[in-house]
Amino acid sequence: MDLDQRVVIVTGGSSGIGAHIVSDLLENNAQVIVADIQLPDAANRATGVDYRLCDITDRTSFKKFVDDVYHQYQRIDGLVNNAGVNRARLLVDYYSETPQYKLSNDDFDFMVRVNQKGPFICTQEGEYPFRGRHRRICYSATKAAVHGFTLSWAKELGEFCIRVVGVAPGINEPTPMGDAKHREALAYTRGIKTTNIDEDYSQKIPLGRQGKLDEIANLVTCLLSDKSSYITGTIINITGGKSRG
Ligand SMILES: NC(=O)c1ccc[n+]([C@@H]2O[C@H](COP(=O)([O-])OP(=O)(O)OC[C@H]3O[C@@H](n4cnc5c(N)ncnc54)[C@H](O)[C@@H]3O)[C@@H](O)[C@H]2O)c1
């Protein structure tokens, strides 16, 4: 899948799924520029990647980032809106034990700002899942909004030969998003102990295992290549067959 030095921006490319997307794009000969609020340690940086500090929720900062990238590379071929955040929160604190896990204004604003406003700013300046599970009410809503953006932006940008595709992963190998703090909040919202948070996915996922981050990266690379030249305005689930909901 030779991307032939195409210039691709990956938001949130310093860790987790984004870092795997970056590696896969590199292997396929792309020029990758990462926009992230944190940079990997020198030892963990992929050779050849152009890492830049940038907050995707700050329009001025992202606009300058894009201007600088364009000035340096004279083209931008792809944007991967990967950066995202999650705070496991309940709409109502059914257990009445840990009030900080009830969705607050700050939680709401934080997730909407990064997950929903971020892709809007990045897509505008650079050129889901409808899971109604109560504990993810805000996170799901931000992803559902991105789903809507994908469909409408594909219609608007198609005449300029710009494709817009969503990638919706399911349950995957752990990333920093699922750190100890998140697991504690998630366990609370499920009404279980943190020690019981790891589920037996062999029964719950048709393919019998969690997704690998590299599998998500492979899909993103394929979507950025000419092999996907007629794919736009759709969301591709990569879930091992686990249905939403
Ligand atoms: N991990 C999963 O299983 C899973 C499943 C479905 C969807 N997703 C989505 O995949 C994406 C990546 O998730 P992950 O698990 O790799 O998370 P992660 O926490 O490991 O990585 C997210 C990256 O985004 C960066 N980031 C956060 N806010 C930013 C901002 N304002 N500006 C720039 N960068 C910012 C972080 O610094 C981090 O490097 C997210 O959009 C997430 O919602 C993840």
Side-chain angles (χ1 to χ4, degrees):
M1 202 91 57
D2 188 1
L3 291 179
D4 192 23
Q5 285 300 304
R6 279 179 206 181
V7 177
V8 180
I9 293 170
V10 181
T11 69
S14 293
S15 82
I17 293 173
H20 284 251
I21 291 172
V22 167
S23 301
D24 204 64
L25 290 172
L26 264 188
E27 274 175 29
N28 288 280
N29 209 22
Q31 171 61 58
V32 185
I33 301 103
V34 166
D36 203 307
I37 48 173
Q38 46 143 2
L39 302 184
D41 301 337
N44 290 324
R45 288 188 196 178
T47 311
V49 173
D50 185 346
Y51 291 95
R52 302 186 184 204
L53 277 176
C54 177
D55 182 347
I56 60 155
T57 68
D58 177 345
R59 184 178 286 277
T60 309
S61 160
F62 194 78
K63 186 170 180 4
K64 180 172 183 329
F65 164 85
V66 168
D67 287 347
D68 291 348
V69 168
Y70 193 77
H71 183 74
Q72 180 167 342
Y73 296 98
Q74 299 293 305
R75 54 190 277 184
I76 295 173
D77 300 292
L79 166 68
V80 183
N81 276 317
N82 163 76
V85 291
N86 189 7
R87 288 181 186 167
R89 295 292 183 267
L90 292 165
L91 183 63
V92 176
D93 182 9
Y94 310 95
Y95 314 113
S96 301
E97 285 170 11
T98 317
Q100 72 262 32
Y101 293 140
K102 180 174 167 182
L103 185 69
S104 67
N105 282 349
D106 180 67
D107 298 326
F108 183 92
D109 290 344
F110 177 65
M111 285 185 268
V112 167
R113 200 169 63 244
V114 179
N115 295 352
Q116 187 173 342
K117 190 173 177 191
F120 154 61
I121 289 175
C122 295
T123 309
Q124 196 171 53
E125 293 300 339
E127 48 219 286
Y128 117 80
F130 293 99
R131 276 191 285 207
R133 296 169 76 169
H134 61 265
R135 61 182 165 269
R136 301 225 183 100
I137 185 155
C138 186
Y139 178 75
S140 299
T142 62
K143 294 296 180 179
V146 174
H147 184 140
F149 286 161
T150 302
L151 305 189
S152 54
W153 292 345
K155 280 187 183 159
E156 182 175 331
L157 300 174
E159 65 176 291
F160 306 107
C161 293
I162 294 173
R163 296 184 292 112
V164 186
V165 188
V167 171
I171 296 165
N172 306 295
E173 292 169 341
T175 71
M177 183 176 272
D179 63 8
K181 197 173 153 202
H182 177 77
R183 288 159 58 85
E184 192 180 312
L186 196 59
Y188 181 80
T189 62
R190 290 180 180 175
I192 57 175
K193 293 189 185 316
T194 313
T195 44
N196 293 336
I197 195 81
D198 290 317
E199 300 177 49
D200 178 7
Y201 294 118
S202 63
Q203 298 301 317
K204 296 196 169 176
I205 300 175
L207 288 186
R209 62 172 176 83
Q210 297 181 333
K212 297 177 184 163
L213 305 187
D214 280 338
E215 290 172 319
I216 301 168
N218 291 163
L219 173 60
V220 172
T221 299
C222 182
L223 289 171
L224 282 162
S225 80
D226 288 341
K227 306 278 185 199
S228 304
S229 52
Y230 201 56
I231 299 178
T232 192
T234 190
I235 315 293
I236 300 182
N237 285 346
I238 174 161
T239 60
K242 187 176 186 305
S243 60
R244 303 278 167 201

